[in-house]
């Protein structure tokens, strides 16, 4: 299927915060009640439409466990955005956010959009991290923040992310017409996207 | 191990030493360098340059392929072609050889079909490190130590064909793996990178900047390159890096089989013992990538090769032992999983292996049962839902009947409905559940369900309504409204809610057909309770109905298309009004006032109810109603049934109506008698005066009443003038009424006597005159007889000229020339002058025609006919005319005429009709008499037959007598055509009338000379039987 843009997003965060669930929800509308640890990196894809343009979102779900950190790091490259997830019922996952953020900033392009997601907000009774805390953290680090547990929210979030990406891509196109990032065809779309980022990084 | 987290199963059984040591025997003490398999064979190459071709039955063919060593080999999967790279001489560039082992050379070894240098001639010789052969036999790639890749194109099984080129940009680190993806892409794995080369454009793209060691890359599923590094296994597509699976450990080998990834790692012995004594051991892990399981994991001694051939895995250890890994069949896998209660895994496996639906259902069921027994009812129902369509629903429902399980049960039932497996009972149960749960925690589920317009849950609406109705009529109503179940809606509105007004409003919103239908169905109740509105609606419905919400002018009419408006027949609704005459009247008046043509029923009903109302109303109202009724009755448009109306008028005593109807039907006598009965002789007389000309009987009727004396003079005068009745009878009649005084009748009597007197004198005068004439004639006769006659006329009576001889003389004193006489006379003996006026045939009036014209002119045909009877005309049966074309008598066997004659009457022509009508008449008579009994008001003995029936009776008498007689005569006529003199008795008519068979009495059957001929009458070919237009009435009167 043809698409105008291909964006790569990466989901990061501590183990058990529900990253795989988010992905599954987003791509398959399913919910997986059992915690199947992610071993390594998995991915899913979904088409959305913005401004009548087909946009393919490639979402990479990484393993949250410390042991896999070295593997997952290599997946930051070329990502247009990251979903940094924590579990509102577990404070330690919130505490680790700084580490994750550093990791992400270090291994990705500087213009990567990062969205902070406080997950499992349906488990209000077991909440350990207040929403305000999440908001504060996001403000402090210049992230987009939201708490989710509903699929609709998630899709909305992804659209917002995608929209930002589209805009920034267009800006880049305007800045450097020589580097046509407009990836139209399936083949090599991701690669070209990456290339654009590298190009920019070099210049900057 | 980092693998701990993936679930681990043992889906493979280990069978050691499957080859009975044959391989060990063959290889002896050398070592295997390469192992490859394909085309049902396994190929092992050893250090000494030998290749061993092993068949499934462990037969081994060994041949010396190279002088020194074989470093790489690949057996094509579907061809008996083996490609090898090896060295014949040390230090020299490696050689590629292609073996076709289906053919043999002179030494009986597989034939080497191609030999070529691996390194292009312009380059320095360097060891080959990787080999890939495309199964299309036209592509071959070799990777080298220095990082270059050589690509051969062309038929690999021919010595002299193909071109070779070196791919650019493949880096400089040793190539460790090559894999063709289709015929246009080549994955290249070096120590330091993973690349994909587009063969057509000769462009290499780096997919990843980390490489792998030899043997640790494999093409999975024909399109994904899987590369193992020490910490993980990465997947690549031609577009880039894909998912990865973390797996610690030093990888030695990767193999792909079906959907399994076989990983050989070197086991780092945990015990830090001296490694020289403990033999190295290798660990084999098999991953099910799709389902994310470890399906096998076991440590073996050092492994030389992993072979995937003959549908399974074979492991060749360093000790040359062949170990066979036998995959368990699905059933045993599943039971293994069941034992561990890993139903979700079982389901995943089963569905990935395309297990049949029934089997899957069984797993779901077991899973559900398992969860249920653990107390996870919601989880269980989730599984049970998947069994819908296979598992008996009662199995599940029974488990969830306790009230605390309501929600899961609802979920199950909803799914059942969504999937369309729900029966009526399920709907009922679901709704009951909704109701219960709503009672419990006010979730409003029922409301939600009812208001789900789009029918998210598929259910039988009717059943649902039925159930909901029992709980909450309001909900049922909205359910019905939502699903356009008008019938239900109205039924509940009317029966349960008794909101007739709302029901009416609802109907008014419906389309015409529905509105019509439901009004017919419920109109009765509605009219009973909401008479005004219902009537209004009915009016609309019967004239120009449109659903209330519809705009007045709809598109179709705007577009110029005129559609005949739908309208119901008021007839259908009349009965609904029952006793509510006022409503019905307004309704019907409305109907009549519109220009739509109404049926008889409408008028009848209107009139009937008018009269009913009239009967009940007070005097003043009576007036207005009378006006109205007469208005309708007199309206030429009114299309009412007169008889019916008459009966009603009579029943309720609506005199004005009766009179009007009598007038209409020309039943003046009835009118008169009505007047007389109500003692209004004047009115009766008025009728007589009006209609007396047409029907003189009226006067007599009045006379017989008897009228009050004041009317007598008029009456008697007319009777006298018209000679309606003989004075004797009149007097007789008058005498029977004691109240009359002589004064009342004096004038009449005087007149009668006077006229009688006159007649007598006149008659007497005539009598004397005739007597004298007779005398005269007698004298004349005397003269003729006794005295001579002198013929003294001198002129011929015919030509009036002078008589000349010869002459003819008659006693009447006429004389003729003989010639004249002969020309004029018809008979020898008569005087033409005297005979002709009496004999002229056309001067005779045709009797039949006369009768007919009289019958038509006279207002009382019966009187005419009886007059004919009185003259005895019917007795004189003389038929002169001959029937046309009599058929020759047929020689049929004689049959009794007695039988034949009636049949002819029965079956043919007018006779049959007469008979029928006769019967009809009889039955009518019967009816009349019974009706008369009913109708006759008690105490009145004067009128035996009600006026209304009188005319019918008259007609019937007429038809039965006259026609019957005429037809009865017909057989007689038919007989006559044979010119046999007819001996007819003087009483056939009376006989016919009394017996119905004119021949019964008069004919002796044995003597009947016509028996044979009469047989013809039953003959269907009889021309007369069919001769319908033959005027039957003419015959009896022909003279
Ligand atoms: N209540 C609730 N549970 C959730 C939600 N998202 C995830 N979970 C549960 O959290 C557990 C972990 O979910 P995963 O998505 O497998 O966690 P993960 O982040 O992928 O973990 P790793 O793969 O180890 O990094 C599962 O048991 C889910 O059922 C949520 O929004 N609400
Ligand atoms: Mg995960």
């Amino acid at each position: 299927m043809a698409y105008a843009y291909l964006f790569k997003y990466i989901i990061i965060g501590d183990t058990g915060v529900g990253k795989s669930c988010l992905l599954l929800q987003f791509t398959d509308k399913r919910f997986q009640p059992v915690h199947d640890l992610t071993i390594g990196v998995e991915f899913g894809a979904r088409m959305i439409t913005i401004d009548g343009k087909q946009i393919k979102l490639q979402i990479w779900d990484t393993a949250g466990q410390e042991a896999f950190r070295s593997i997952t790091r290599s997946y930051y490259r070329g990502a247009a955005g990251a979903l940094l997830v924590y579990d509102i019922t577990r404070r330690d996952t919130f505490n680790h956010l700084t580490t994750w953020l550093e990791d992400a900033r270090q291994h990705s392009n500087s213009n990567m959009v990062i969205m902070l997601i406080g997950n499992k907000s349906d488990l209000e009774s077991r909440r350990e991290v207040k929403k305000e805390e999440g908001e504060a953290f996001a403000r402090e680090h210049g992230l987009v923040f939201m708490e989710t547990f509903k699929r609709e929210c998630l899709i909305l979030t992804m659209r917002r992310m995608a929209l930002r990406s589209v805009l920034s891509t267009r800006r880049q196109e305007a800045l450097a017409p020589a580097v046509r990032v407009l990836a139209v065809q399936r083949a090599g779309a991701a690669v070209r996207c990456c290339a654009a980022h590298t190009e920019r990084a070099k210049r900057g | 191990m980092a693998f701990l987290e993936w679930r681990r199963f043992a889906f493979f059984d280990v069978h050691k030493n499957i080859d009975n040591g044959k391989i060990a025997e063959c290889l002896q003490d050398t070592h295997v360098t390469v192992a490859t398999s394909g085309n049902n064979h396994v190929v092992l190459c050893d250090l000494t340059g030998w290749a061993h071709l092993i068949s499934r039955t462990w037969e081994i063919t060994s041949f010396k392929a190279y002088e020194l060593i074989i470093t790489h080999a690949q057996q094509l999967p579907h061809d008996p072609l083996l490609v090898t790279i090896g060295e014949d001489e040390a230090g020299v560039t490696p050689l590629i050889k292609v073996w076709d082992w289906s053919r043999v050379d002179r030494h009986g070894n597989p034939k080497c079909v191609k030999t070529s240098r691996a390194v292009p001639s312009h380059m320095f010789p360097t060891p080959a490190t990787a080999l890939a052969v495309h199964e299309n036999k036209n592509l071959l790639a070799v990777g080298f130590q220095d990082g270059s890749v050589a690509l051969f194109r062309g038929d690999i099984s021919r010595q002299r064909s193909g071109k070779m080129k070196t791919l650019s940009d493949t880096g400089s680190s040793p190539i460790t793996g090559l894999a063709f993806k289709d015929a246009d892409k080549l994955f290249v794995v070096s120590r330091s990178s993973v690349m994909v080369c587009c063969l057509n454009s000769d462009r290499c793209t780096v997919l990843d900047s980390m490489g792998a060691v030899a043997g640790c890359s494999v093409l999975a599923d024909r399109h994904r390159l899987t590369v193992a590094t020490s910490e993980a296994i990465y997947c690549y597509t031609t577009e880039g890096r894909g998912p990865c699976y973390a797996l610690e450990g030093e990888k030695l080998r990767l193999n792909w089989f079906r959907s399994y990834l076989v990983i050989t790692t070197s086991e780092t012995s945990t015990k830090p013992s001296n490694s020289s004594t403990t033999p190295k051991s290798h660990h084999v892990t098999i991953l099910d990538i799709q389902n994310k399981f470890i399906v096998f994991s076991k440590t073996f001694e050092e492994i030389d090769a992993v072979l995937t051939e003959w549908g399974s895995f074979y492991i060749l250890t360093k000790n040359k032992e062949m170990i066979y890994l036998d995959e368990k069949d699905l059933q045993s896998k599943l039971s293994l999983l069941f034992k561990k209660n890993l139903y979700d895994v079982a389901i995943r496996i089963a569905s990935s292996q395309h297990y049949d639906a029934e089997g899957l259902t069984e797993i779901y069921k077991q899973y559900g049962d398992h969860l249920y027994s653990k107390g996870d009812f919601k989880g269980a129902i989730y599984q049970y839902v998947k069994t819908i369509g296979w598992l008996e629903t009662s199995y599940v429902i029974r488990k969830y009947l306790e009230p605390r399980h309501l929600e899961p049960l609802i979920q199950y039932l909803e799914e059942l409905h969504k999937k369309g497996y729900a029966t009526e009972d399920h709907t009922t149960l679901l709704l009951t559940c909704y109701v219960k749960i709503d009672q419990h925690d006010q979730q409003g589920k029922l409301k939600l369900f009812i208001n789900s317009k789009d029918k998210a849950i598929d259910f039988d609406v009717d059943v649902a309504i039925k159930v909901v109705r029992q709980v909450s009529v309001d909900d049922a109503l909205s359910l019905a409204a939502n699903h356009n179940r008008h019938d239900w809606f109205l039924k509940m509105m009317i029966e349960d809610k008794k909101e007739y007004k709302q029901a009416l409003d609802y109907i008014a919103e419906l389309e015409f057909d529905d509105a019509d239908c439901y009004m017919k169905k419920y109109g009765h109740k509605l009219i009973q309770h909401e008479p005004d509105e219902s009537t209004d609606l009915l009016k609309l419905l019967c004239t120009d109905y449109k659903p209330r919400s519809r705009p007045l002018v709809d598109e179709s009419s705007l577009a110029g298309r005129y559609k005949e408006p739908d309208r119901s027949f008021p007839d259908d609704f009349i009965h609904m009004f029952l006793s509510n005459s006022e409503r019905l009247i307004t309704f019907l008046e409305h109907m009549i006032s519109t220009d739509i043509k109404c049926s008889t029923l409408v008028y009848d009903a209107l009139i009937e109810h008018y009269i009913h109302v009239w009967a009940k109303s007070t005097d003043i109202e009576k007036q207005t109603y009378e006006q109205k009724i007469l208005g309708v009755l007199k309206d030429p448009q009114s299309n009412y049934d007169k008889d019916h109306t008459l009966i009603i008028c009579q029943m309720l005593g609506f005199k004005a109506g009766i009179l009007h109807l009598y007038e209409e039907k020309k039943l003046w006598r009835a009118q008169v008698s009505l007047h007389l009965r109500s003692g209004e002789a004047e009115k009766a007389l008025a009728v007589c005066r009006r209609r007396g000309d047409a029907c003189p009987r009226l006067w007599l009727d009045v006379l017989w009443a008897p009228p009050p004396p004041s009317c007598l003079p008029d009456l008697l005068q007319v009777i006298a003038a018209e000679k309606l009745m003989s004075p004797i009878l009149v007097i007789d009649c008058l005498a029977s009424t004691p109240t009359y005084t002589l004064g009342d009748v004096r004038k009449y009597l005087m007149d009668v006597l006077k006229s009688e007197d006159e007649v007598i004198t006149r008659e007497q005068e005539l009598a004397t005159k005739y007597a004298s004439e007779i005398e005269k004639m007698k004298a004349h006769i005397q003269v003729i007889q006794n005295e001579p006659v002198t013929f003294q006329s001198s002129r011929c009576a015919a030509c009036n000229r002078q008589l000349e001889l010869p002459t003819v003389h008659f006693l009447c004193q006429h004389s003729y020339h003989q010639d004249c006489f002969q020309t004029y006379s018809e008979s020898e003996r008569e005087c033409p002058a005297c005979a002709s006026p009496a004999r002229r045939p056309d001067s005779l009036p045709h009797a039949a025609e006369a009768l007919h014209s009289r019958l038509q002119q006279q207002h009382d045909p019966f009187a005419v006919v009886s007059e004919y009877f009185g003259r005895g005309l019917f007795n004189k049966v003389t038929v002169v005319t001959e029937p046309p074309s009599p058929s020759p008598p047929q020689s049929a066997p004689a049959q009794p005429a007695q039988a034949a004659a009636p049949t002819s009457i029965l079956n043919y022509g007018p006779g049959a009709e007469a008979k029928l009508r006769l019967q009809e008449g009889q039955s009518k008579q019967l009816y009349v008499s019974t009706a008369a009994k009913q109708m006759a008001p008690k105490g009145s003995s004067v009128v035996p037959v009600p006026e209304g029936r009188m005319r019918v009776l008259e007609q019937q008498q007429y038809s039965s007598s006259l026609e019957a007689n005429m037809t009865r005569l017909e057989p007689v006529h038919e007989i006559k055509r044979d010119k046999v003199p007819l001996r007819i008795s003087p009483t056939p008519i009376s006989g016919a009338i009394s017996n119905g068979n004119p021949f019964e009495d008069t004919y002796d059957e044995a003597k009947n000379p016509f028996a044979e001929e009469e047989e013809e009458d039953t003959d269907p070919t009889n021309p007369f039987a069919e001769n319908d237009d033959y005027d039957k009435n003419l015959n009896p009167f022909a003279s």
Side-chain angles (χ1 to χ4, degrees), chain B residues 262-274:
Chain B
V262 189
I263 306 158
T264 318
T265 47
S266 75
E267 188 86 319
T268 44
S269 58
T270 42
K271 283 172 271 176
S273 54
N274 41 353

Side-chain angles (χ1 to χ4, degrees), chain A residues 37 39 41-42 60 68 74-75, chain B residues 5-6 241-244 246 292:
Chain A
L37 263 194
I39 316 282
V41 180
E42 285 160 20
W60 296 82
F68 304 129
S74 63
Y75 280 84
Chain B
E5 287 79 11
W6 269 17
R241 186 162 68 178
C244 74
K292 298 188 188 133

Side-chain angles (χ1 to χ4, degrees), chain A residues 20 36 38 61-62:
Chain A
S20 304
D36 259 339
T38 308
D61 169 33
T62 61

Side-chain angles (χ1 to χ4, degrees), chain A residues 15-21 32-33 35 37-38 64 119-120 122-123:
Chain A
T15 180
V17 296
K19 299 183 294 296
S20 304
C21 283
Q32 170 91 44
H35 183 187
L37 263 194
T38 308
N119 197 25
K120 307 196 189 178
D122 55 323
L123 303 174

Side-chain angles (χ1 to χ4, degrees), chain B residues 30 56 397 601 605 668 789 800 806 901 964 993:
Chain B
T30 173
R56 179 143 204 191
I397 293 172
L601 190 61
W668 299 301
V789 180
N800 213 20
I993 292 166

Side-chain angles (χ1 to χ4, degrees), chain B residues 87-108:
Chain B
E87 293 172 15
D88 276 342
E89 288 169 65
V92 185
T93 176
L95 280 180
I96 300 171
K97 290 188 182 175
V98 181
W99 309 87
D100 182 347
W101 45 260
S102 62
R103 298 193 277 168
V104 285
D105 63 7
R106 322 182 233 125
H107 310 295

Side-chain angles (χ1 to χ4, degrees), chain A residues 3 31-32 34 36-43 58 60 65 67-68 70-71 74-75 77 186-188 190-191, chain B residues 2-3 5-7 205 207-210 231-232 234-235 239-248 292 344 348:
Chain A
Y3 45 84
F31 179 74
Q32 170 91 44
V34 219
D36 259 339
L37 263 194
T38 308
I39 316 282
V41 180
E42 285 160 20
F43 94 104
Q58 209 175 60
W60 296 82
Q65 288 209 322
F68 304 129
S70 61
I71 301 170
S74 63
Y75 280 84
R77 217 184 46 165
R186 184 186 177 79
V191 183
Chain B
F3 252 134
E5 287 79 11
W6 269 17
R7 269 183 275 207
T205 317
L207 294 177
D208 206 346
S209 55
M210 56 187 171
E231 77 264 23
Y234 293 92
C235 294
E239 280 163 33
R241 186 162 68 178
C244 74
Y245 317 100
L247 174 61
E248 293 273 304
K292 298 188 188 133
D344 51 338
R348 247 198 279 170

